Amino acid sequence: MTNIGILGTGRVGANLAGKLSAAGHHVTLGGRSPETTAARATGPAPRITFADQRTTARTTDIVINATPGDSSLDRLADLRTELSGKILIDVSNATRDAADGLPGDLCYPGSSLAEKLQAALPDTQVVKTLNTMLFMVMTAPQALTTPPTAYLSGDDEHAKRTVTGLLGDLGWQPEQIEDLGDITTARATEAMILAVPHVLRRHGFQPFAVSLAR
């Protein structure tokens, strides 16, 4: 059992929390208002607790960033001390919204949120993954007709192996996980988000992932 903290209590964070808890991990959901988050949580979740984000980062072993990508950098840079020596799994995309509220442009063209986080948190091992799919696919890859791909980007090989193990707990098979290389490769997967709004406008909010076919 791993003690996992999730920063962000929206659909992404809550979805990951439920599946990781069911896999036997202890999960702390970190939000700006932990009391409100706990009050709206449903179903039995004996291994999920609720705290503010600073406490969550300080008291857990592995931290997942599921906060809105356009504000993640400032938010997490403020937690540099709490995140020191830990693995940070970044599943967010930093985008600016178009008029209809869907992603319209990247916040960091020529770079990526993951690279910015790694530069701001030099004592933290940042691993980018699960950012090329709708949130429900993160915990149910087997639900898609075509096997999806979970890409990995990160500088630390041990951290990526640890994250690969957690992906297995979420239902990902080894052949569905593609290690792209160091943290700079995250700019490629983060750019894939620009395809998402066009798919959603044509087909609605249906589960899908940007996958590698061989």
Side-chain angles (χ1 to χ4, degrees), residues 149-173:
T149 303
Y151 303 97
L152 283 178
S153 300
D155 292 337
D156 188 280
E157 295 301 321
H158 173 72
K160 287 193 287 187
R161 286 194 295 272
T162 300
V163 174
T164 297
L166 290 179
L167 289 175
D169 291 339
L170 293 174
W172 293 86
Q173 300 301 310

Side-chain angles (χ1 to χ4, degrees), residues 68-84:
D70 59 349
S71 61
S72 288
L73 183 57
D74 289 340
R75 192 190 309 261
L76 272 67
D78 189 48
L79 301 175
R80 177 172 173 171
T81 299
E82 289 80 5
L83 291 170
S84 179

Side-chain angles (χ1 to χ4, degrees), residues 152-213:
L152 283 178
S153 300
D155 292 337
D156 188 280
E157 295 301 321
H158 173 72
K160 287 193 287 187
R161 286 194 295 272
T162 300
V163 174
T164 297
L166 290 179
L167 289 175
D169 291 339
L170 293 174
W172 293 86
Q173 300 301 310
E175 64 272 14
Q176 296 174 316
I177 301 170
E178 186 73 20
D179 186 346
L180 296 179
D182 67 25
I183 201 66
T184 64
T185 63
R187 67 183 65 178
T189 60
E190 289 191 26
M192 292 179 185
I193 191 64
L194 297 181
V196 170
H198 305 296
V199 175
L200 294 181
R201 291 182 187 116
R202 289 181 62 85
H203 301 287
F205 203 73
Q206 299 296 321
F208 78 95
V210 181
S211 300
L212 178 64

Side-chain angles (χ1 to χ4, degrees), residues 14-113:
N15 188 45
L16 289 169
K19 188 63 176 282
L20 289 169
S21 174
H25 300 288
H26 183 275
V27 178
T28 301
L29 265 175
R32 292 182 174 180
S33 177
E35 296 83 3
T36 302
T37 303
R40 69 169 184 260
T42 58
R47 285 182 293 271
I48 298 178
T49 57
F50 304 89
D52 61 84
Q53 293 185 351
R54 191 173 300 278
T55 299
T56 299
R58 185 180 70 249
T59 59
T60 55
D61 302 317
I62 296 174
V63 179
I64 299 174
N65 174 39
T67 65
D70 59 349
S71 61
S72 288
L73 183 57
D74 289 340
R75 192 190 309 261
L76 272 67
D78 189 48
L79 301 175
R80 177 172 173 171
T81 299
E82 289 80 5
L83 291 170
S84 179
K86 300 183 180 183
I87 296 173
L88 176 66
I89 304 173
D90 178 31
V91 303
S92 295
N93 289 300
T95 59
R96 297 184 179 90
D97 288 346
D100 61 1
L102 295 175
D105 203 0
L106 300 174
C107 291
Y108 308 113
S111 185
S112 65
L113 172 59

